[in-house]
Amino acid sequence: MKTNQLDLFSPSEIDSAISRTPVLLMDVKALKKWKKQISAHQQQVRTSEPVLQVALFEVSSAHVDPDTIDPFELKPCSLSFYRLPADSPGQACLYFVIDMAANLLLYVGETCKSNHRWKGIHDCKRYIEKYQDLHYQYGLKTAVNIAFWWDAPDSTRPRQQLELALIQKWKSPFNKENWKLWGQPFG
């Protein structure tokens, strides 16, 4: 006979533990402020001139300048793109999760197989769900889409370096690298 860990406790002990666990939600004012701060940074990045870095050595032609990529100018696709039939595993790319209603870049990612990356478990899918649920609860509009940049390097290391540069530049809140800056309200 299989035992369940919950069998160690009486139903009243379980109910008591559940009722004591506070569910903390960001209130509507905090949510709007959080989004406004991130959007202000990202729009400043879009409108400011990139800092030119001088190289002491020649940079290879395989290097991609992150300042040439503007996720907001890419063609948005539905988040359910991965459910469509595909005849290949896809190709290397960078992808950007954007709330078009708020003009907010939420996540930057990279993959070598664009048609497979989102089919399985992906933490960002859970963050998006919680983000959208909270907006729905407060009657706020969202339009979360994904956009792809197809000129990413095929080699993993250069693609990951480019991804990190973009995460640092745009400070996308769903990327763990920026949780200290923006918090982790949907994690």
Side-chain angles (χ1 to χ4, degrees):
M1 180 172 137
K2 275 187 154 182
T3 60
N4 184 333
Q5 286 184 337
L6 292 177
D7 293 339
L8 299 172
F9 304 97
S10 71
S12 63
E13 288 173 311
I14 293 170
D15 290 341
S16 173
I18 291 171
S19 66
R20 281 183 293 169
T21 307
V23 177
L24 301 175
L25 288 179
M26 186 184 281
D27 66 23
V28 69
K29 184 178 175 182
L31 176 60
K32 287 179 178 181
K33 181 180 178 185
W34 181 82
K35 289 170 51 177
K36 186 176 180 180
Q37 289 173 327
I38 297 166
S39 181
H41 166 77
Q42 292 178 349
Q43 294 314 306
Q44 187 269 332
V45 166
R46 285 190 83 194
T47 57
S48 65
E49 288 291 320
V51 177
L52 295 177
Q53 186 172 342
V54 184
L56 294 175
F57 305 100
E58 194 172 311
V59 179
S60 74
S61 60
H63 174 77
V64 178
D65 181 2
D67 290 325
T68 62
I69 303 168
D70 183 346
F72 296 96
E73 294 197 359
L74 299 173
K75 181 182 177 204
C77 300
S78 166
L79 278 177
S80 59
F81 74 94
Y82 63 93
R83 293 185 179 131
L84 298 172
D87 56 356
S88 77
Q91 64 190 65
C93 70
L94 292 172
Y95 57 91
F96 305 89
V97 176
I98 302 170
D99 182 347
M100 307 301 268
N103 217 20
L104 194 66
L105 174 62
L106 298 171
Y107 186 81
V108 176
E110 65 81 24
T111 184
C112 63
K113 295 179 179 176
S114 56
N115 290 334
H116 282 277
R117 179 64 182 108
W118 278 64
K119 284 189 186 218
I121 296 170
H122 195 304
D123 286 338
C124 187
K125 288 187 335 190
R126 220 180 21 199
Y127 304 154
I128 293 165
E129 183 180 334
K130 290 179 180 182
Y131 175 85
Q132 289 178 314
D133 285 348
L134 192 59
H135 281 74
Y136 179 76
Q137 181 177 334
Y138 295 135
L140 301 174
K141 184 180 175 190
T142 63
V144 180
N145 293 298
I146 193 164
F148 297 94
W149 189 74
W150 298 106
D151 294 328
D154 288 329
S155 300
T156 301
R157 188 75 184 127
R159 192 175 58 252
Q160 289 174 339
Q161 289 172 334
L162 181 56
E163 173 199 31
L164 181 58
L166 289 163
I167 289 168
Q168 291 169 339
K169 173 183 175 177
W170 293 98
K171 306 217 181 306
S172 43
F174 289 2
N175 288 98
K176 66 182 176 216
E177 293 86 349
N178 295 315
W179 289 349
K180 283 186 180 178
L181 178 62
W182 304 122
Q184 194 181 355
F186 306 103

